[in-house]
Amino acid sequence: MTDGEEKLIIARAVKGESSAFGQLYDVYQPQIYRFVYLRVGQREEAEDLTHQIFLHAWMRIKSYREEGYPFSTWLYRIARNQVIDHYRTRKVSQRIDEDREDQFVSGENVTLAVDAKLRLERVIRVIRTLPGDYQDVIVMRLVDEVPIRDVAKAMQRSEGAVKLLQFRATRALREVLEVEVEEESYEA
Amino acid sequence: MKPEILKQLRKITPDSGYSARAKEHILMSAPLPAQSGRLRSFAAFFSEHKLRVAMIAMVLVLFVGGFSVIQLLNPFKASPLDPSRLKVEAQAIDIQLQIANVGYEAPANGPESTQAMSRPSRVSRSSAKSGAANTAATSSPDVGIDEALDLLSQ
């Protein structure tokens, strides 16, 4: 979908056309689901939250204003707020779904090697031990490669603050992963 | 840490069955009407500063409530009596009693008494003034407090 096409679809969705919003849902739902899943670590909760996010977006689509940012930036902002509210209201366990191989199944049904899967699970577990803002930056910047300007808008911070957050988040992630690798090597 | 491993996290995708059901359920709802500019900015402000708005509202409620309680506890407000009017009435009683004392202290002789009545002497006037402080305790045989109050009510 090109930018021009997307703008037309968004304009139709803002007028209340459900099929147009359905197209936007198909494009952005996997991305938002991934963001939420990496934040909460559980499939069912990620599905519930993603549902709430898009329901919230559809209910308030008529109030959407572009303001020079992509539609995904608005969705990320809603997603961040929903995740924050989720942590405020519920006691969230640290478990992640380790027994669902289809978590990593792409559209072509590619299966991962066991060690790669374990490595990914470790990374996910480590990401979730970091502060919330670090997690947001890691997922948006390093996983989905969202531009800094859009991340700053979604997080309601300056671009400089986002850059600093990214630097600190990456360093923290590396430190924790290195410690885990060292511990595993001592145990082995 | 290699960035490629993070990019592999892009392979995390939702279940296709869930996605279809969720989409259908969402699109069954109708979107809310667009908010006006002022209302939207107010809503955005309110949603961003919920705690501050709540605290300010609580302080206002406590202030207004406390002020109302003070007004209720005010005895003068609670009673039908007006302090300023009471003061005026008390001063009027004082004057009436002074006049009554002047009349009482006038001599029994005719012209002197008449003169005394028309022009109260300085002694009698000063004695009336000094007696003013004791008017509450003593009453003139000619005009009592009750009679004076009756005169005032008329």
Side-chain angles (χ1 to χ4, degrees):
Chain A
M1 191 190 294
T2 63
D3 283 348
E5 286 174 358
E6 184 176 298
K7 284 188 179 177
L8 286 173
I9 293 170
I10 291 169
R12 285 165 47 206
V14 170
K15 288 178 186 173
E17 202 175 307
S18 59
S19 59
F21 187 81
Q23 289 182 270
L24 294 171
Y25 180 92
D26 292 336
V27 169
Y28 292 109
Q29 192 253 10
Q31 189 176 350
I32 298 298
Y33 172 83
R34 182 167 51 245
F35 172 83
V36 175
Y37 178 78
L38 288 172
R39 288 300 308 275
V40 302
Q42 294 186 30
R43 184 185 188 85
E44 289 79 15
E45 290 190 15
E47 288 176 352
D48 287 344
L49 279 173
T50 306
H51 181 84
Q52 284 177 29
I53 289 160
F54 278 94
L55 184 62
H56 180 102
W58 172 233
M59 297 295 279
R60 284 156 184 79
I61 191 69
K62 292 191 176 181
S63 304
Y64 170 76
R65 298 291 178 268
E66 187 193 338
E67 297 175 356
Y69 294 93
F71 188 72
S72 59
T73 305
W74 187 58
L75 292 175
Y76 272 121
R77 191 161 158 187
I78 296 171
R80 276 194 82 238
N81 291 337
Q82 290 284 343
V83 169
I84 289 168
D85 289 344
H86 171 76
Y87 277 115
R88 267 193 203 140
T89 56
R90 296 184 195 183
K91 198 174 179 183
V92 180
S93 63
Q94 294 293 319
R95 182 181 66 86
I96 61 170
D97 286 337
E98 296 179 353
D99 57 343
R100 297 290 301 266
E101 288 183 359
D102 54 355
Q103 292 293 326
F104 305 100
V105 174
S106 69
E108 293 84 21
N109 244 356
V110 176
T111 57
L112 298 169
V114 173
D115 58 341
K117 182 170 177 288
L118 288 173
R119 206 178 317 129
L120 274 178
E121 286 175 356
R122 186 198 307 143
V123 169
I124 294 171
R125 191 171 52 246
V126 166
I127 287 172
R128 294 197 60 241
T129 63
L130 300 176
D133 284 350
Y134 287 18
Q135 294 184 41
D136 292 342
V137 167
I138 286 171
V139 175
M140 283 194 273
R141 287 285 302 140
L142 303 182
V143 178
D144 287 327
E145 295 182 339
V146 177
I148 286 183
R149 181 174 171 266
D150 298 347
V151 174
K153 178 69 175 176
M155 295 181 70
Q156 293 178 282
R157 292 181 182 234
S158 66
E159 292 185 28
V162 170
K163 287 179 187 172
L164 184 59
L165 266 177
Q166 181 180 339
F167 170 75
R168 289 177 177 169
T170 310
R171 186 177 60 183
L173 185 62
R174 190 182 299 119
E175 285 171 2
V176 177
L177 279 171
E178 284 172 357
V179 167
E180 279 211 0
V181 167
E182 282 178 10
E183 285 175 356
E184 283 179 5
S185 63
Y186 286 141
E187 286 170 5
Chain B
M1 182 190 61
K2 295 177 183 175
E4 289 77 21
I5 194 166
L6 290 177
K7 288 179 187 170
Q8 287 186 27
L9 293 175
R10 287 185 195 168
K11 292 188 172 72
I12 295 174
T13 53
D15 177 63
S16 55
Y18 149 76
S19 298
R21 285 192 305 275
K23 177 180 165 184
E24 190 182 335
H25 184 263
I26 287 166
L27 295 181
M28 279 170 58
S29 313
L32 296 171
Q35 292 173 332
S36 65
R38 276 192 189 175
L39 189 60
R40 187 169 358 108
S41 61
F42 175 76
F45 174 80
F46 184 76
S47 65
E48 287 177 11
H49 303 281
K50 283 178 201 171
L51 186 60
R52 288 180 198 172
V53 171
M55 285 179 67
I56 291 170
M58 193 170 17
V59 167
L60 281 172
V61 166
L62 286 171
F63 178 74
V64 171
F67 187 70
S68 302
V69 167
I70 289 169
Q71 288 290 319
L72 283 173
L73 291 177
N74 188 349
F76 290 110
K77 190 77 175 176
S79 73
L81 298 175
D82 184 11
S84 58
R85 188 172 174 179
L86 281 174
K87 194 175 175 182
V88 167
E89 289 176 1
Q91 284 174 349
I93 292 172
D94 196 6
I95 291 168
Q96 290 291 336
L97 288 171
Q98 285 182 24
I99 292 169
N101 284 335
V102 165
Y104 177 72
E105 289 175 8
N109 300 337
E112 288 180 7
S113 67
T114 306
Q115 196 175 9
M117 286 295 285
S118 61
R119 286 186 187 178
S121 64
R122 281 189 182 181
V123 173
S124 61
R125 194 180 290 168
S126 62
S127 69
K129 281 185 183 174
S130 64
N134 297 325
T135 51
T138 61
S139 61
S140 162
D142 290 335
V143 180
I145 292 174
D146 293 334
E147 285 81 6
L149 285 171
D150 287 338
L151 284 172
L152 280 172
S153 64
Q154 291 169 7

